[in-house]
Amino acid sequence: MQSKIVKEGLEKAPHRSLFKALGLTDEEMKRPFIGVVNSKNDIVPGHINLDKISEAVKAGIRMAGGVPFEFQTIAVCDGIAMNHIGMKYSLGSRELIADAVEIMAMAHAFDGLVFIPNCDKVVPGMLMAAARLNIPSIFVSGGPMLAGNMADKKVSVTQVFEGVGAAASGKIDQDELARLEDNACPSCGSCAGMFTANSMNCLTEALGMGLPGNGTIPAVYSERIRLAKTAGMKIMELVAKDLCPADIMTAAAFHNAMCMDMAIGCSTNSVLHLLAIASEAGVDISLDKFNEVSAVTPHLCKISPAGNHHMEDLYRAGGVQALYHELDKKGLVDRKARTVTGLTVGENIKSTPVLDYSVIRPINNPYSESGGLAILFGNLAPDGAVVKKGAVDPEMMQHQGPARVFESEEEAVAAILANKIVAGDVIVIRNEGPRGGPGMREMLTPTSTIAGMGLDKEVALITDGRFSGATRGASIGHVSPEAAAGGIIALVEEGDLIRIDIPALKLELLVDEDILAARKAKWQAPDLKITTGYMKRYAQMVQSASTGAIFVK
């Protein structure tokens, strides 16, 4: 047991005295010490129930003979942080979370860790920490929110964001927008669609780090409490077997997770986070690998915003394990990959068939033969850009139009709301990348406003920042290199023609090389937008989105 270094031996009498100050008995001192990493707070809707999850986890640990110690991490609600300076801090929180867990785990010599995340950057931050620390670990999320209901139609926060554009263009009135506001988020949990939080919770299960059901059991179901108790008991097995994240988060696990990513059509942010987690795990994956996996993985699910189903529907259809069961019919899953159940993926999915083929399509009748995400390359994105192609209308899979250039999200939103964007335009929002933002803001407001105005089938958006998992339409993010690093996106001028060809995986600026060279000669790197505190340091350390926006090592 790692905890021996803080509790055994003559010289550890002072340490034992401090543990006894916590109320521990001599008998408890002999048992494994388990850290319970909880991201609970009172402002994130996906986290307000995590106290109940934590109590269940601790009960499970005690039932199995361990001693739990809970500690907290920070958590940002991306929805609340959206469209103001707060969103610059969201991606940066991922690294802080990983670092904070590392500090607590190393300082206190835990024998194992149970991670309790739910929303956006918390899940990847904790997975990065688990990979870095490599002590027995298991994840149990707080679970997804139920969808709301309006006029017998399911709604979620996506419809509220899009409602802003609809109200601005007169398609709905203020009363209808208010009703959306009141009904879209009816329970605690991570927002009800396949947005970033639910994408990452499903991918945690797909990686083998969460028990079956981790990604899809609704937050308000008692089954979620039982899952948490089971996770608490299961960590004791992992400690006894010394089964660590390095044994689970292997190249095979990341292959499986990418297959799941493509089959469900996860948030584009999943690409950023899987790259960062793999880096911590010492597994080499690249953007090209995502396209290779996508080319052979059928798109089987369209969860909001790509379709009308929500997380509760995916849960009823059998969830992640049922998707693996379906993908396995074409041999797409590495069955030998190990998981926190103590079993392999193949053993886990023996009896997990799809329960509703209207939610999870049969392998021989997919939405498309290739996956729901695509990495685009070209002179505008030589190091890649990401699009959720499963949420792009057929009319916009290939598009060519004039660039409408904006130096920030705020400028773009103002132009959209002022009706200055017309059909055919390609909105370019730059200097929002990892360094230039700083923090690579998610930009749900411009994409949802465009959709609410009914322009999502006629207007494309391109940025070196990010788009929310709730985004739909031809929204292409993570353009690399970013503008602040002198990428070609920094050289785009108003009216330049841009060609998008998603099936061909191409993103091109149709400007002669000699003209671009002349523009490059005049270009100057912009000043930092935040010159104090953590985000100043973040901007100085962060790498390109093509690396997962990890820190320089």
Side-chain angles (χ1 to χ4, degrees), residues 446-482:
T447 59
S448 58
T449 304
I450 285 289
M453 290 178 161
L455 291 172
D456 54 303
K457 296 181 181 181
E458 301 170 303
V459 171
L461 296 95
I462 295 173
T463 184
D464 53 7
R466 298 181 295 130
F467 289 118
S468 165
T471 291
R472 61 187 174 94
S475 302
I476 301 165
H478 308 195
V479 169
S480 300
E482 63 174 296

Side-chain angles (χ1 to χ4, degrees), residues 16 50 91 197 225 237 552:
R16 291 192 294 273
L50 297 190
L91 183 59
I225 300 298
E237 289 183 25
V552 175

Side-chain angles (χ1 to χ4, degrees), residues 128-280:
M128 290 165 69
R132 185 186 303 172
L133 291 163
N134 198 36
I135 62 176
S137 300
I138 192 170
F139 282 66
V140 56
S141 75
M145 185 184 291
L146 296 176
N149 192 290
M150 238 182 100
D152 292 326
K153 181 181 178 182
K154 286 184 178 180
V155 293
S156 70
V157 72
T158 297
Q159 282 68 44
V160 188
F161 273 98
E162 292 183 2
V164 173
S169 61
K171 293 181 181 297
I172 64 172
D173 59 26
Q174 291 291 329
D175 288 341
E176 187 170 352
L177 181 60
R179 287 195 297 275
L180 265 175
E181 180 183 324
D182 289 342
N183 289 282
C185 300
S187 74
C188 63
S190 45
C191 296
M194 191 54 72
F195 314 144
T196 304
N198 290 322
S199 293
M200 293 312 302
N201 283 324
C202 286
L203 291 176
T204 299
E205 186 178 337
L207 279 168
M209 292 299 294
L211 294 171
N214 177 72
T216 56
I217 298 169
V220 295
Y221 282 18
S222 298
E223 186 180 356
R224 175 65 57 179
I225 300 298
R226 298 197 297 273
L227 184 78
K229 288 181 181 177
T230 303
M233 291 186 281
K234 188 62 69 172
I235 189 62
M236 300 306 296
E237 289 183 25
L238 299 176
V239 169
K241 295 176 181 177
D242 196 29
L243 186 60
C244 296
D247 303 313
I248 295 170
M249 285 196 280
T250 61
F254 280 96
H255 168 82
N256 286 345
M258 283 189 275
C259 286
M260 185 62 57
D261 202 346
M262 298 305 165
I264 299 181
C266 288
S267 162
T268 51
N269 287 309
S270 63
V271 175
L272 195 76
H273 298 321
L274 284 175
L275 287 168
I277 298 160
S279 176
E280 292 285 358

Side-chain angles (χ1 to χ4, degrees), residues 68-147:
F69 297 91
E70 182 178 351
F71 63 92
Q72 262 66 39
T73 71
I74 60 171
V76 171
C77 176
D78 279 14
I80 294 173
M82 199 73 65
N83 194 29
H84 61 90
I85 192 172
M87 180 48 74
K88 293 178 182 289
Y89 288 78
S90 176
L91 183 59
S93 73
R94 186 186 71 180
E95 269 57 35
L96 273 179
I97 290 163
D99 290 349
V101 175
E102 177 191 358
I103 289 168
M104 289 295 289
M106 295 304 295
H108 301 105
F110 294 120
D111 298 303
L113 295 169
V114 181
F115 291 88
I116 308 175
N118 215 25
C119 293
D120 295 277
K121 311 310 168 296
V122 183
V123 190
M126 288 185 175
L127 283 165
M128 290 165 69
R132 185 186 303 172
L133 291 163
N134 198 36
I135 62 176
S137 300
I138 192 170
F139 282 66
V140 56
S141 75
M145 185 184 291
L146 296 176

Side-chain angles (χ1 to χ4, degrees), residues 12 21 39 56 66 115 144 168 247 263 267 287 291 319 357 363 462 537 548:
K12 295 305 188 295
S39 55
F115 291 88
D247 303 313
S267 162
L287 288 175
N291 279 341
Y357 277 116
I363 195 80
I462 295 173
R537 298 195 298 276

